[in-house]
Amino acid sequence: MIEPRPELSKLSDYVPGKSIDEIRERYGLDKVVKLASNENPLGASPKAIEAFHKIADSLHLYPRGDAPKLLDAIAQKFGVKTSQIIIGNGSDEIIDMVGKAFIRQGDNCIGITPTFSVYKFTTLSNGAEFVGVGEGENKTSLDELAKAINAKTRVVFICNPNNPTGTYYSENEIVDFLKKVPQNVLVFLDEAYAEFAVAEDFPHLASKLDQFPNLFINRTFSKIYGLAGLRIGYAVSSEATVKAMWKIKPPFDVNQAAQAAAIAGFADEEHVANTRAMNSEGIKVLTREFESLGFKVLPTQANFICVRIGERAKELVSYLESNGMIIRGLTSFGMPEHVRVTIGKPEENAFLLALVKKWKTEG
Ligand SMILES: *Cc1c(COP(=O)(O)O)cnc(C)c1O
């Protein structure tokens, strides 16, 4: 038998949110609601769905790997050149491409923790060491993060707002941090949830790419644009960084349906505004109700809340699943007493809250 590369022995399997089908079958349920993977409860924009349908007639054709229309739309929105944009089969693939293009054996990469697991996965699978700074529900200090950088450091990963805590760094905090980072270290700013942020000091850093060419801003169509199933993400950075990534990018990784739906969804400001409004209202309701039940809710700028349930967190997750409600336990993130709940539609949030109240009173 062929032996896998030795780096693989350090990797653990990715733990995704449970699927609706899985829970429906296991418990024989008709109604199952999933508030576990931060998907858009309103679905994709109707305009994106229409664009998706139109692609059916050209399924026999290869996609345009260079996605010129999509790149134009992104360039216009961020005020950058198209040569500063990379796209990928979900932003997960963009993280993977960063690994392939920049992370070498014996390097290290640093990240705030707890955070999204893919950064560590990519680091380890390229033979480098991952250094996590911070723990639990406390926001990691970017000063501490800067102090952890050494001669071996290649990439610093910052998820903003952070998954799974929902907390965020302001523009001043990120800019102060960037000033401390050597130019040969890539700062991977994962803004998967940026479109949900309402804080006035939330960063808008594309205009600072000239000043900080080592900044890398990652975005996705999976969250507010509701296209998680199509797999498409993008990032903006310096021309030199992006050029290296296009070299190792699989040529047809972003399919034509994803490109067409992304372009249409990107332009549908009404759908984005509706989603944001529903999200802000949902955060208020869920926060108020969880707090009134005695649970601590971390402040969030994303489309989810992180709630401290305590020792019985796992028990709550199972109880909810058996009643048709999927949320995310955070054991795999190193927060076994917390859960992450995606903000749903009002009736979905109400369904969740009714079950949590029942669980609590039944003791
Ligand atoms: C969901 C998520 C992504 C998006 O991944 P895709 O591959 O684009 O679906 C990226 N980063 C974080 C932190 C996420 O939570």
Side-chain angles (χ1 to χ4, degrees):
M1 237 242 342
I2 184 164
E3 285 280 324
R5 291 192 294 123
E7 289 84 5
L8 270 59
S9 64
K10 291 185 192 153
L11 302 178
S12 38
D13 292 334
Y14 180 75
V15 186
K18 292 216 173 60
S19 76
I20 290 176
D21 283 352
E22 197 179 338
I23 295 302
R24 195 181 275 147
E25 275 170 37
R26 184 183 310 168
Y27 297 102
L29 298 165
D30 289 329
K31 176 183 170 181
V32 177
V33 174
K34 183 183 178 198
L35 299 178
S37 300
N38 306 334
E39 293 143 334
N40 187 335
L42 295 178
S45 147
K47 292 179 178 139
I49 294 170
E50 194 189 326
F52 175 82
H53 281 299
K54 280 199 189 140
I55 288 298
D57 290 335
S58 49
L59 291 183
H60 58 296
L61 300 174
Y62 277 97
R64 282 275 308 257
D66 55 349
K69 286 188 190 144
L70 178 59
L71 262 54
D72 280 343
I74 296 168
Q76 211 173 4
K77 184 138 168 179
F78 286 84
V80 297
K81 294 183 232 155
T82 52
S83 52
Q84 291 179 271
I85 303 166
I86 181 83
I87 56 171
N89 187 268
S91 49
D92 282 356
E93 193 192 39
I94 293 179
I95 301 168
D96 184 60
M97 288 192 278
V98 162
K100 284 183 181 145
F102 302 113
I103 302 175
R104 305 164 303 192
Q105 286 271 349
D107 286 339
N108 74 39
C109 298
I110 302 176
I112 58 169
T113 48
T115 196
F116 192 48
S117 63
V118 178
Y119 317 133
K120 183 176 179 183
F121 172 86
T122 298
T123 301
L124 298 184
S125 59
N126 285 287
E129 184 199 356
F130 187 82
V131 179
V133 180
E135 63 179 332
E137 57 183 48
N138 303 319
K139 181 174 150 182
T140 299
S141 136
L142 292 185
D143 279 341
E144 293 300 312
L145 199 66
K147 281 185 202 144
I149 296 172
N150 64 27
K152 288 185 171 180
T153 305
R154 291 290 279 179
V155 184
V156 179
F157 292 99
I158 301 175
C159 186
N160 196 37
N162 188 35
N163 177 7
T165 55
T167 46
Y168 82 106
Y169 296 102
S170 69
E171 175 140 339
N172 286 341
E173 286 176 290
I174 299 282
V175 169
D176 286 346
F177 174 75
L178 286 166
K179 287 179 184 160
K180 293 178 193 148
V181 180
Q183 293 267 323
N184 63 342
V185 174
L186 191 75
V187 177
F188 189 102
L189 196 60
D190 190 342
E191 296 193 338
Y193 301 99
E195 297 90 350
F196 292 101
V198 296
E200 282 186 9
D201 57 356
F202 190 83
H204 298 280
L205 295 171
S207 63
K208 297 219 161 41
L209 283 167
D210 289 340
Q211 190 185 347
F212 303 109
N214 58 331
L215 173 63
F216 189 95
I217 304 171
N218 184 56
R219 294 271 183 124
T220 181
F221 286 100
S222 297
K223 303 290 156 57
I224 206 162
Y225 295 103
L227 297 175
L230 273 181
R231 315 302 307 127
I232 177 164
Y234 64 98
V236 295
S237 187
S238 66
E239 279 184 313
T241 300
V242 161
K243 198 172 170 197
M245 291 178 68
W246 278 97
K247 280 194 180 170
I248 50 87
K249 179 182 171 296
F252 305 115
D253 55 341
V254 182
N255 69 69
Q256 42 168 332
Q259 291 183 31
I263 292 165
F266 211 45
D268 190 349
E269 287 172 13
E270 191 188 339
H271 188 69
V272 169
N274 290 343
T275 305
R276 275 170 62 94
M278 189 186 70
N279 191 64
S280 292
E281 188 54 33
I283 289 172
K284 271 188 216 148
V285 172
L286 285 171
T287 302
R288 185 185 67 218
E289 295 300 311
F290 269 106
E291 282 178 350
S292 79
L293 289 167
F295 299 114
K296 180 176 175 183
V297 179
L298 308 193
T300 185
Q301 288 291 319
N303 66 339
F304 54 83
I305 51 169
C306 184
V307 188
R308 185 162 78 206
I309 301 296
E311 284 174 0
R312 295 174 67 206
K314 255 189 171 158
E315 197 189 301
L316 172 63
V317 171
S318 306
Y319 173 86
L320 292 174
E321 281 174 7
S322 64
N323 286 284
M325 169 56 68
I326 313 172
I327 64 167
R328 192 75 150 81
L330 295 179
T331 304
S332 70
F333 284 79
M335 297 175 82
E337 299 201 348
H338 293 70
V339 298
R340 192 191 68 198
V341 177
T342 305
I343 310 303
K345 289 190 254 199
E347 61 272 24
E348 295 171 330
N349 300 335
F351 178 46
L352 167 70
L353 289 167
L355 287 171
V356 175
K357 275 177 201 160
K358 198 158 167 247
W359 176 74
K360 198 156 183 238
T361 43
E362 285 172 3

